[in-house]
């Protein structure tokens, strides 16, 4: 699942978590340092989802493994 999530992400783009995968898998990627969680969206309340972007470590991992 980690590979599938990282393949969906492009450089410099923020993705809503609900489009990437399950919260548990995203939390694992945050802990490993591959993605950065950014709380904030245009929605408020229970429909609000955190956004994620690749960190430098995530960009390097993606460049090495998905070319």
């Amino acid at each position: 699942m980690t590979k599938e999530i990282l393949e969906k992400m492009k450089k410099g783009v923020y993705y809503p978590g609900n489009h990437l995968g399950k919260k548990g898998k995203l939390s694992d990627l945050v802990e490993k340092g591959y993605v950065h969680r950014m709380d904030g969206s245009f929605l408020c309340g229970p429909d609000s989802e955190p956004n994620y972007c690749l960190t430098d470590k995530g960009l390097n991992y993606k460049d090495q493994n998905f070319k």
Side-chain angles (χ1 to χ4, degrees), residues 2-66:
T2 297
K3 183 178 177 182
E4 290 84 8
I5 291 172
L6 292 177
E7 283 179 323
K8 290 179 185 179
M9 301 181 83
K10 296 179 181 177
K11 292 182 180 183
V13 177
Y14 289 89
Y15 285 89
N18 59 335
H19 290 290
L20 293 174
K22 298 187 180 209
K23 290 180 183 180
K25 295 293 181 184
L26 289 165
S27 293
D28 288 343
L29 289 175
V30 170
E31 288 178 19
K32 292 177 182 176
Y34 291 120
V35 298
H36 172 71
R37 179 179 170 158
M38 178 171 214
D39 289 324
S41 98
F42 295 106
L43 301 173
C44 295
D47 293 330
S48 179
E49 288 287 333
N51 294 317
Y52 295 85
C53 68
L54 289 169
T55 62
D56 289 339
K57 182 178 178 179
L59 288 169
N60 288 334
Y61 178 85
K62 189 171 171 132
D63 287 344
Q64 293 171 3
N65 293 293
F66 301 121

